Amino acid sequence: MAPQRPRGRLRYATSIADAVTKAWLIVESVPERLDVKQSVYAEIERSAANDALIASSTSGILPSELQAAMAHPERLLVAHPFNPVYLLPLVELFGGKLTAPAAIDTAADFYATLGMKPLKLRREIDAFVADRLLEAVWRESLWLIKDGVATTEELDDAIRFGFGLRWAQMGIFETYRIAGGEAGMQHFLDQFGPTLSWPWTKLMDVPELDDELTAKIASQSDAQSGMYSIRELERIRDDNLIGFLQVLKSADWGAGKTLAAYEKRLYDVAANVPAEPEKGQPVETLAIRVPTDWTDYNGHMNESRYLQCFSDATDGFMRQIGVDQSYIENDGSFFTAETHICHLAEVRALEAIRVTTQVLAGEGKKMHLFHRLFHVDGTALATAEQLFIHVDLSSRKASVPTPDVAETLASYAAAHAALPAPEQQGRYIGARR
Amino acid sequence: MAPQRPRGRLRYATSIADAVTKAWLIVESVPERLDVKQSVYAEIERSAANDALIASSTSGILPSELQAAMAHPERLLVAHPFNPVYLLPLVELFGGKLTAPAAIDTAADFYATLGMKPLKLRREIDAFVADRLLEAVWRESLWLIKDGVATTEELDDAIRFGFGLRWAQMGIFETYRIAGGEAGMQHFLDQFGPTLSWPWTKLMDVPELDDELTAKIASQSDAQSGMYSIRELERIRDDNLIGFLQVLKSADWGAGKTLAAYEKRLYDVAANVPAEPEKGQPVETLAIRVPTDWTDYNGHMNESRYLQCFSDATDGFMRQIGVDQSYIENDGSFFTAETHICHLAEVRALEAIRVTTQVLAGEGKKMHLFHRLFHVDGTALATAEQLFIHVDLSSRKASVPTPDVAETLASYAAAHAALPAPEQQGRYIGARR
């Protein structure tokens, strides 16, 4: 939801030398064979700078093995992300025996700037950490299917209607800590510990994934999910993940805290681009795509989300005149007193929309804005005329903005004075009283 | 978000006989000792009807053992829910050797009416299904802590920043199906299968949860979560879960599909209560608590959520005049054309609020409503005057409602004609054009 950085440039190289010569970070994602990876590293090292980082996305080969034949093994690390990589923040980071700790730190800083959550592992171990946990569930699931206790769908439901919901925001330990009550984790462990030796999981062997078991799983999976194409499943999954991340962002918790920090960085970058009011031009204050959960039973964006667009546009305008997070913490904020919305056309999920804002007045405690919401194709979707009062957040009473903000707001009002009055300004519904 | 059923009556009984005499479903949640449970069943059977269901919430004892000494063992089943029970829909249902299948079916129907997701297991097995998966993760986690590979916080982060987010909406099989691409599950298994025999999980033994390991886990958990009280962690967890469920409800997927079905049931119950317009009385159209993710950086409910309240109130009113799901599918809906909101006071998270609706006019294609939002303490929070147009959803053009709906709407308009015109009706911002 934050202003995006300008789109970068993607270039396809026709040789490893061409790809790595000027790179400072080289991500290696070739097939999971040690000999292939080692020969690629040898080729990289012939052309890359000696201090360029090399991050392997391997899911299972240890970095000590990967780096064994390298000329500069200290810059080799594993950076292991999770699908869908563009939405899940986790990336496991760790090196081998010869990796320099500074290489891990540099990579961690870099992945954080992408909005990811670098998890530095304490030491290398087969399958790393997250995949070991996944593997444990996978093996137990295979046994339950092989023994006819549950189908793939029943196993999935046992996850997503129960503990899976918990794990999107707290892991197994924090969840169990709550179960222990105020007596804490020690109490929980005293209670739960003895069951550890009960015969609850198949511990002693690994199910053979023979043709029969493979066919059973594949046909159960078809029965469960075969009505959707893979593209449809991806879309459903991604929409749900985006929704979860927005929920967690509101709570400033877990993956949402990471997202909030990323968006703050984007807002800061945008705020550093000097914004001068352009005479006779409304300001662009929002540019997003309609999230899929913003629509309602009528098949279009719900009316409350129109106001959310205008609210976000006001936030964008406030940042432009200096009402940012630090101002709000110390000097005050603008509260909405009155709003008049005119709906002009429908808009559907995933369509690109933008808001422009015209300052009708900005003086003393008052700010008077006129927002226009457009489809990117130019269709006018709605307008909102809004009156705001500047408020001191400790007394919750009306107050005047700081001189800096007042001056900047006045400069926008002056720059917009030449614009024609909007058609919908001063409208009322029905008969005027 | 749906209209609640009237609050039930909770009565504490001083004896088992008193508690069970008139019951048709008896939930047994006494300590996890077979002898204690069996003696409680004996006492229940002396007073309960012979066909009353008895559902044990045991986490580990098999129903065949539980029912072994019962006079009517055919009505004994396990109904195993998950914390927090009031938010997680999953309940595992299954019987023992002597349980009648009809008992499971009846219980499944009942739990579904509570908005839960009954998962009927194919057969009894130690730890049932979900806890076997949890146990597998738990054991692997204990090894990783014991061996100093990761702390409780790092393990939790490996879950909640990665696969935990996925599992709130799809389980392990549906997720991996996507990873297989259009080639499907078979392709995924062929790729992934060989790694099963790699040394990825500690298979051969169980870590001893001795004092040293217990103390290590407890102190790591304190470092991770000790800054929150258990009550605070519960509040955070529950708020996040509610947010996830609302996201999934919008998508009609997984646990959200269960919630949507539950809410539809509640709406249907409310619709069956005959609603006659009361002369000179606005209609109550919404009564909720402000969800915690509806507030913004100003510490109060965001303006867009005011409009969501009014939008939901309009939905409530529409249902009262017969514009329900089946009407919308077949006959049309009302679209908002224009809205004027006046903000009168702030409201914070979790406060109870309600909306009343006054019909200003309802004739032909138009509906003109005036909503008032109140705190339950009587404070006026906001008003919204709204004009709606009835629309044919296939042509997306204005149309007239069905005669039934038109008549009911007119009867509300007539009943409200005697009400004084609202102070904020016909308002405009600034100078009228």
Side-chain angles (χ1 to χ4, degrees), chain A residues 83 89-90 122-123 127 132-135 137-142 145 147 149 151 154 156 158 160-161 164-174 177-178 181-182 186 192-193 196 198 200-201 203 206 209 214 221-222 225 228 230 233-234 237 240-241 244 251 253-255 258 297-298 300 302-304 307-308 311 315 328 333 335-341 343 346 348 368 385-386 396 422-423 425-429 432-433, chain B residues 83 89-90 122-123 127 132-135 137-140 142 145 147 149 151 154 156 158-161 164-174 177-178 181-182 186 192-193 196 198 200-201 203 206 209 214 221-222 225 228 230 233-234 237 240-241 244 251 253-255 258 297-298 300 302-304 307-308 311 315 328 333 335-341 343 346 348 368 385-386 396 422-423 425-429 432-433:
Chain A
N83 269 320
L90 185 66
R122 282 157 195 270
R123 59 184 184 81
R132 290 185 79 90
L133 305 181
L134 283 167
E135 181 78 358
V137 171
W138 177 248
R139 280 182 165 146
E140 186 62 31
S141 298
L142 293 185
I145 291 174
D147 293 350
V149 177
T151 64
E154 289 157 3
D156 278 358
R160 69 192 185 132
F161 287 92
L165 283 163
R166 293 196 300 231
W167 283 1
Q169 41 102 41
M170 289 181 184
I172 193 165
F173 289 95
E174 199 157 50
R177 183 183 180 87
I178 296 177
E182 295 293 349
Q186 181 82 42
F192 194 81
L196 265 188
W198 294 5
W200 276 10
T201 34
L203 286 165
V206 179
L209 199 57
T214 300
S221 173
D222 287 348
S225 314
Y228 299 105
I230 298 298
L233 286 172
E234 279 179 340
R237 178 197 66 190
N240 291 336
L241 290 176
F244 297 161
W253 184 261
T258 304
Y297 54 82
N298 287 324
H300 57 211
N302 179 263
E303 57 180 318
S304 67
L307 186 49
Q308 184 168 343
S311 180
D315 287 352
I328 289 168
S333 184
F335 283 10
T336 310
E338 203 160 349
T339 296
H340 193 100
I341 300 171
H343 292 272
E346 301 176 79
R348 291 168 189 270
H368 188 178
E385 182 179 3
Q386 294 197 281
R396 315 303 274 191
E423 186 191 331
Q425 186 184 341
R427 263 185 78 97
Y428 53 91
I429 299 173
R432 186 162 71 97
R433 300 222 27 241
Chain B
N83 269 321
L90 184 66
R122 283 155 195 268
R123 58 185 185 81
R132 290 184 78 90
L133 305 182
L134 282 168
E135 180 76 358
V137 172
W138 177 249
R139 280 182 165 147
E140 186 61 30
L142 292 186
I145 290 174
D147 294 350
V149 177
T151 64
E154 289 157 4
D156 278 359
I159 294 171
R160 70 192 183 130
F161 286 92
L165 283 162
R166 292 196 301 232
W167 283 0
Q169 41 100 42
M170 289 181 183
I172 194 164
F173 289 96
E174 199 156 51
R177 183 182 180 88
I178 297 177
E182 295 293 348
Q186 181 82 43
F192 194 80
L196 263 188
W198 293 4
W200 277 10
T201 35
L203 286 164
V206 179
L209 199 56
T214 302
S221 173
D222 287 347
S225 313
Y228 301 105
I230 299 299
L233 286 172
E234 279 179 341
R237 176 197 67 191
N240 291 337
L241 290 175
F244 298 160
W253 184 262
T258 304
Y297 54 81
N298 288 323
H300 57 210
N302 179 262
E303 57 180 319
S304 67
L307 186 49
Q308 185 168 343
S311 180
D315 288 352
I328 290 169
S333 183
F335 283 10
T336 310
E338 203 161 349
T339 295
H340 193 100
I341 299 172
H343 292 272
E346 300 177 78
R348 290 167 187 270
H368 188 179
E385 182 179 5
Q386 294 197 280
R396 314 303 276 191
E423 186 192 331
Q425 185 184 343
R427 262 185 78 95
Y428 53 91
I429 298 174
R432 186 160 71 96
R433 300 222 27 241

Side-chain angles (χ1 to χ4, degrees), chain A residues 262-340:
Chain A
Y262 177 59
E263 290 197 349
K264 180 173 184 315
R265 193 186 297 260
L266 291 177
Y267 283 124
D268 289 347
V269 169
N272 282 331
V273 178
E276 282 292 313
E278 203 177 333
K279 204 164 174 179
Q281 276 298 329
V283 199
E284 176 155 313
T285 44
L286 190 78
I288 59 167
R289 281 183 189 274
V290 177
T292 52
D293 64 335
W294 283 21
T295 56
D296 62 23
Y297 54 82
N298 287 324
H300 57 211
M301 185 163 82
N302 179 263
E303 57 180 318
S304 67
R305 301 305 188 165
Y306 280 79
L307 186 49
Q308 184 168 343
C309 288
F310 295 128
S311 180
D312 292 345
T314 301
D315 287 352
F317 178 69
M318 280 164 56
R319 279 189 297 271
Q320 289 199 24
I321 60 170
V323 183
D324 56 14
Q325 200 170 322
S326 123
Y327 184 96
I328 289 168
E329 276 160 21
N330 299 300
D331 302 296
S333 184
F334 283 99
F335 283 10
T336 310
E338 203 160 349
T339 296
H340 193 100

Side-chain angles (χ1 to χ4, degrees), chain A residues 107-249:
Chain A
D109 290 345
F110 171 72
Y111 282 101
T113 67
L114 301 182
M116 297 187 78
K117 165 77 180 181
L119 182 65
K120 296 188 209 172
L121 305 191
R122 282 157 195 270
R123 59 184 184 81
E124 56 184 345
I125 182 172
D126 285 311
F128 323 149
V129 168
D131 278 357
R132 290 185 79 90
L133 305 181
L134 283 167
E135 181 78 358
V137 171
W138 177 248
R139 280 182 165 146
E140 186 62 31
S141 298
L142 293 185
W143 277 117
L144 291 168
I145 291 174
K146 187 178 169 70
D147 293 350
V149 177
T151 64
T152 59
E153 180 166 2
E154 289 157 3
L155 286 162
D156 278 358
D157 284 351
I159 293 172
R160 69 192 185 132
F161 287 92
F163 66 85
L165 283 163
R166 293 196 300 231
W167 283 1
Q169 41 102 41
M170 289 181 184
I172 193 165
F173 289 95
E174 199 157 50
T175 302
Y176 286 161
R177 183 183 180 87
I178 296 177
E182 295 293 349
M185 199 68 189
Q186 181 82 42
H187 175 69
F188 174 78
L189 291 168
D190 292 343
Q191 275 208 315
F192 194 81
T195 64
L196 265 188
S197 51
W198 294 5
W200 276 10
T201 34
K202 292 269 189 184
L203 286 165
M204 302 310 158
D205 53 6
V206 179
E208 200 192 337
L209 199 57
D210 56 15
D211 287 354
E212 193 189 350
L213 182 54
T214 300
K216 191 171 181 182
I217 294 172
S219 77
Q220 287 183 357
S221 173
D222 287 348
Q224 173 188 0
S225 314
M227 66 292 277
Y228 299 105
S229 72
I230 298 298
R231 282 273 166 255
E232 285 170 323
L233 286 172
E234 279 179 340
R235 165 62 55 82
I236 292 164
R237 178 197 66 190
D238 290 357
D239 285 347
N240 291 336
L241 290 176
I242 290 168
F244 297 161
L245 290 169
Q246 294 295 327
V247 165
L248 292 171
K249 189 178 74 176

